[in-house]
Amino acid sequence: MLSIVIPIYNEAAILHKLYDRLTAASPSWKEDYEIILVDDGSYDASLGIMKAFAEKDPHFKIVKLSRNFGHQAAISAGLKVTRGEAVVIMDGDLQDPPEQLPIFLEKWREGFDVVYAIRTKRKEGFFKKLAYKVFYRLLAWISDIDIPLDSGDFCVMDRRVVEVMLQEMPEQNRFVRGLRAFAGFNQVGVAYEREERAGGEAKYTFRKLLNLALDGLFDFSTFPLKLAIYIGLFVSFTSFLVGIFFIFHRIFNFKILGYSPTDTPGLATLAVGIFFLSGVILIFLGVIGEYIGRMYLEVKRRPFFIIEEIVSHDPPSESQPTEH
Ligand code: UDP
Ligand code: MG
């Protein structure tokens, strides 16, 4: 069976379109399927519409989270409910077209454990595209594992990868595409054109997007911490050279371009030096703080999602609210 996980946050405007496209595309998947719509604390009509889907169509299951936990947590909640041998993650705004799935499933049947989508073209604004490009390259450069460039969450995963993600990766900060890359197994990328949102507004605010980017950078790398050492070494080495220069200058008292460092009191140099170094120190205090904050979150062991209700046609044992 195929399980499709779709996080939904205030998507009432496009849910019917989503239902129609999924249902129309479903014969091409050539599998029995379940579609798990995770309601991530929507406050529009989404939940009611989704419940109606589940009532008229046994393929649909609704997982209602107790509040808005965010896209990545919603995906994790959905994964927990899946039962299929193959598991798909896709967005609810039809940017990841369900008609593309046969190509992905083909690869999965060939024996790949993870088939992830690589976004070749994005139909988004210039700055957003640029920001994505820079982010993925920076992430690939500093992260300790190979997170494929321009790969989003859209993917097909084999059951065993999903089990690894659910059982062996208890972390609170869920950067799903990173965890997926970390899991390993047989992975392959498939290029696709990311479509425009089918309707409604983007639910990722700038702040949420920035947090996602920071999760990616901080959760898969300690490079920012090492950067403090590198910059520290560079600054110390440079000041060592400057020190030597001053000693030589004392001894030989030469002029450079008719100028001698002892001609001026050097206030500007000192001021710039102090501001620069204070800036560097503050930045790295912040970086250290970021890691400590993340450790604090991890140590508390709070659930990163809470399921309030599951609506499905399955036997009742499945539909009991569970926590993770
Ligand atoms: N989403 C969610 N919780 C959130 C924000 C978004 O479940 O807090 C869902 C949203 O409904 C959509 C998917 O995540 O199905 C991707 O969101 P969006 O299209 O806004 O992101 P973008 O495509 O702009 O990256
Ligand atoms: Mg979108």
Side-chain angles (χ1 to χ4, degrees):
M1 185 169 71
L2 175 68
S3 302
I4 303 181
V5 173
I6 309 179
I8 297 291
Y9 181 50
N10 296 338
E11 304 285 13
I14 52 172
L15 275 172
H16 285 103
K17 229 185 256 178
L18 179 69
Y19 180 89
D20 292 342
R21 290 267 297 270
L22 284 168
T23 313
S26 60
S28 70
W29 306 330
K30 301 194 182 79
E31 302 274 344
D32 185 18
Y33 66 95
E34 58 173 4
I35 294 175
I36 295 158
L37 299 176
V38 183
D39 175 55
D40 187 18
S42 302
Y43 51 81
D44 66 352
S46 296
L47 184 65
I49 299 174
M50 291 192 280
K51 281 186 170 167
F53 293 166
E55 259 152 45
K56 72 175 170 188
D57 186 339
H59 289 118
F60 280 76
K61 291 178 190 167
I62 315 306
V63 175
K64 179 187 187 301
L65 300 189
S66 61
R67 63 171 170 86
N68 178 249
F69 281 88
H71 180 217
Q72 304 286 306
I75 290 176
S76 300
L79 288 180
K80 192 156 184 258
V81 179
T82 59
R83 293 178 311 155
E85 274 310 299
V87 175
V88 173
I89 298 173
M90 63 162 89
D91 280 356
D93 56 0
L94 292 164
Q95 286 196 288
D96 310 326
E99 295 78 16
Q100 298 268 352
L101 278 180
I103 310 169
F104 287 64
L105 289 170
E106 208 41 60
K107 289 268 169 212
W108 170 69
R109 288 187 194 108
E110 275 172 34
F112 287 100
D113 298 291
V114 176
V115 187
Y116 55 85
I118 303 172
R119 302 155 170 181
T120 46
K121 277 202 194 132
R122 281 176 181 276
K123 293 173 184 155
E124 255 143 347
F126 173 77
F127 284 106
K128 205 167 177 186
K129 276 201 270 197
L130 183 74
Y132 275 112
K133 271 234 143 41
V134 172
F135 166 71
Y136 278 110
R137 268 127 205 100
L138 183 66
L139 180 63
W141 182 52
I142 73 165
S143 70
D144 304 329
I145 50 164
D146 279 333
I147 300 177
L149 290 176
D150 302 316
S151 65
D153 292 322
F154 189 24
C155 68
V156 178
M157 293 187 285
D158 191 81
R159 180 88 240 154
R160 59 180 181 164
V161 179
V162 176
E163 287 304 320
V164 166
M165 283 175 70
L166 290 173
Q167 315 286 337
E168 324 267 344
M169 299 183 185
E171 56 216 85
Q172 315 280 302
N173 268 304
R174 314 291 296 177
F175 187 64
V176 173
R177 60 204 79 164
L179 297 176
R180 192 181 67 206
F182 184 91
F185 296 96
N186 242 342
Q187 306 218 356
V188 67
V190 172
Y192 86 115
E193 269 186 40
R194 191 154 162 84
E195 284 184 17
E196 248 164 306
R197 176 170 252 286
E201 302 269 297
K203 300 301 170 311
Y204 257 93
T205 53
F206 176 72
R207 197 182 157 148
K208 277 186 178 169
L209 210 54
L210 186 70
N211 278 334
L212 180 69
L214 291 177
D215 281 350
L217 295 177
F218 284 107
D219 291 345
F220 288 91
S221 171
T222 48
F223 181 78
L225 289 172
K226 287 187 195 128
L227 203 59
I229 301 176
Y230 298 143
I231 292 183
L233 282 176
F234 175 76
V235 172
S236 323
F237 184 67
T238 317
S239 36
F240 178 70
L241 291 184
V242 173
I244 293 197
F245 169 80
F246 279 117
I247 292 172
F248 271 87
H249 184 266
R250 248 265 132 56
I251 299 171
F252 301 108
N253 201 23
F254 50 84
K255 284 183 191 262
I256 301 164
L257 302 171
Y259 166 81
S260 164
T262 45
D263 290 350
T264 48
L267 183 68
T269 325
L270 275 179
V272 170
I274 288 169
F275 279 120
F276 173 71
L277 280 180
S278 315
V280 171
I281 291 167
L282 282 178
I283 288 170
F284 283 103
L285 271 180
V287 169
I288 294 169
E290 188 65 36
Y291 282 96
I292 293 179
R294 277 158 201 277
M295 279 154 61
Y296 178 56
L297 284 179
E298 295 295 333
V299 163
K300 279 192 294 188
R301 304 267 77 168
R302 286 199 188 135
F304 41 91
F305 59 79
I306 296 169
I307 296 177
E308 183 180 325
E309 182 187 7
I310 297 180
V311 183
S312 85
H313 286 250
D314 289 343
S317 68
E318 287 265 339
S319 42
Q320 252 154 39
T322 39
E323 285 188 14
H324 185 85

